[in-house]
């Protein structure tokens, strides 16, 4: 179904509703099943390949294009904001250690042990994880709003503007929601509290996307172009850091399923580049 590009708010509404739904479902999955280590790694390999390609092939080139209209040193400034995104995400990961998708219950099931209530681990910092993932979600929402605005400014005929960033977000949201709810369940938090946190987390990204899109709408054209360029480059850095933080530990520590995991990684890369045809 073709979405009218003349009504970007309608497109953003569809994106926001879908992101909220898959995020809530990701949290629900943690209530119903425990993903095995192998399944988590397959998902992360595919998503990481897709996110890396979005960062390198979509976000960074778009950021340079938008900055070039505002100043001459656009490539240098885009590179600076890309680096700033990487540095910011590294510090967030170090401070809150939030980007983890497996917990004691996951490991127990992988070993074939009976499902029992796990003893809370002192190394699990629930609120650090929630804060870290919440900030990451806000960055993703801001990126989605900026990408939608950027692509509509470039080409009003696009049927699905911002589709690359949207898919990067929608692939990643369920795993993060799964992480939060799994951790809360491991630490013994009640079902009502888990449900409330899951819903709030699901709404963060759509609300931030709407705010960033409207904020750019009220700026003059030159300032909006520069801000969009900075946001896209910064987001490219955060996307690269997030994807590599999933991939590198697994590559360094394990040798199992190398062909399968590599195939899913390449599948994510291929999907990202195939989006150039879908966008039009």
């Amino acid at each position: 179904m073709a979405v009218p590009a003349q009504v970007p708010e309608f497109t953003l509404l569809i994106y926001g509703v879908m992101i909220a739904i898959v995020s809530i479902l990701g949290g629900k999955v943690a209530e119903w099943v425990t993903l095995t280590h192998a399944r988590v790694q397959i998902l992360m390999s595919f998503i990481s390949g897709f996110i890396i390609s979005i960062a390198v092939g979509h976000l960074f080139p778009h950021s340079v294009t938008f900055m070039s209209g505002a100043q001459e040193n656009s490539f240098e400034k885009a590179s600076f904001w890309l680096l700033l995104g990487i540095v910011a995400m590294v510090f967030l990961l170090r401070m809150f250690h939030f980007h983890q998708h497996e917990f004691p219950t996951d490991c127990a099931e992988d070993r074939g042990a009976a499902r029992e209530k796990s003893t809370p681990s002192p190394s699990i910092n629930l609120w650090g994880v929630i804060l870290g993932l919440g900030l990451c979600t806000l960055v993703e929402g801001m990126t989605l709003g900026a990408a939608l605005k950027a692509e509509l400014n470039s080409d009003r005929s696009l049927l699905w503007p911002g589709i690359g960033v949207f898919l990067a977000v929608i692939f990643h949201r369920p795993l993060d929601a799964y992480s939060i709810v799994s951790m809360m369940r491991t630490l013994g938090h009640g079902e009502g509290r888990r449900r409330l946190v899951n819903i709030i987390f699901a709404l963060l990204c759509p609300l931030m996307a709407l705010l960033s899109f409207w904020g750019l709408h009220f700026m003059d054209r030159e300032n909006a172009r520069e801000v969009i360029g900075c946001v896209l480059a910064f987001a490219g850095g955060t996307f690269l850091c997030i994807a590599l933080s999933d991939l590198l530990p697994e590559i360094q520590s394990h040798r199992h399923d190398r062909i399968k995991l590599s195939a899913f990684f390449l599948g994510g890369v291929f999907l990202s580049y195939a989006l150039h045809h879908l966008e039009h």
Side-chain angles (χ1 to χ4, degrees), residues 167-194:
L167 289 179
V169 173
I170 208 170
F171 286 159
H172 202 251
R173 285 299 87 219
L175 273 178
D176 287 346
Y178 176 88
S179 299
I180 291 177
V181 176
S182 292
M183 180 176 289
M184 293 184 72
R185 195 177 71 171
T186 299
L187 294 175
H189 289 271
E191 183 179 352
R193 181 175 293 184
R194 296 198 302 265

Side-chain angles (χ1 to χ4, degrees), residues 36-45 102 110 246-264:
T36 63
H37 173 77
R39 291 173 181 172
V40 170
Q41 291 305 319
I42 286 173
L43 284 172
M44 288 197 298
S45 294
E102 296 179 79
D110 248 0
D246 277 338
L247 278 180
L248 294 181
E250 179 67 15
I251 293 173
Q252 295 287 342
S253 305
H254 302 287
R255 295 182 180 274
H256 64 283
D257 294 333
R258 286 176 292 181
I259 296 177
K260 183 190 297 183
L261 295 178
S262 298
F264 275 93

Side-chain angles (χ1 to χ4, degrees), residues 53-71:
S53 297
I54 289 296
V56 175
H58 290 241
L59 294 179
F60 186 72
H62 277 70
S63 70
V64 174
T65 299
F66 270 81
M67 287 183 184
S68 63
Q71 50 196 299

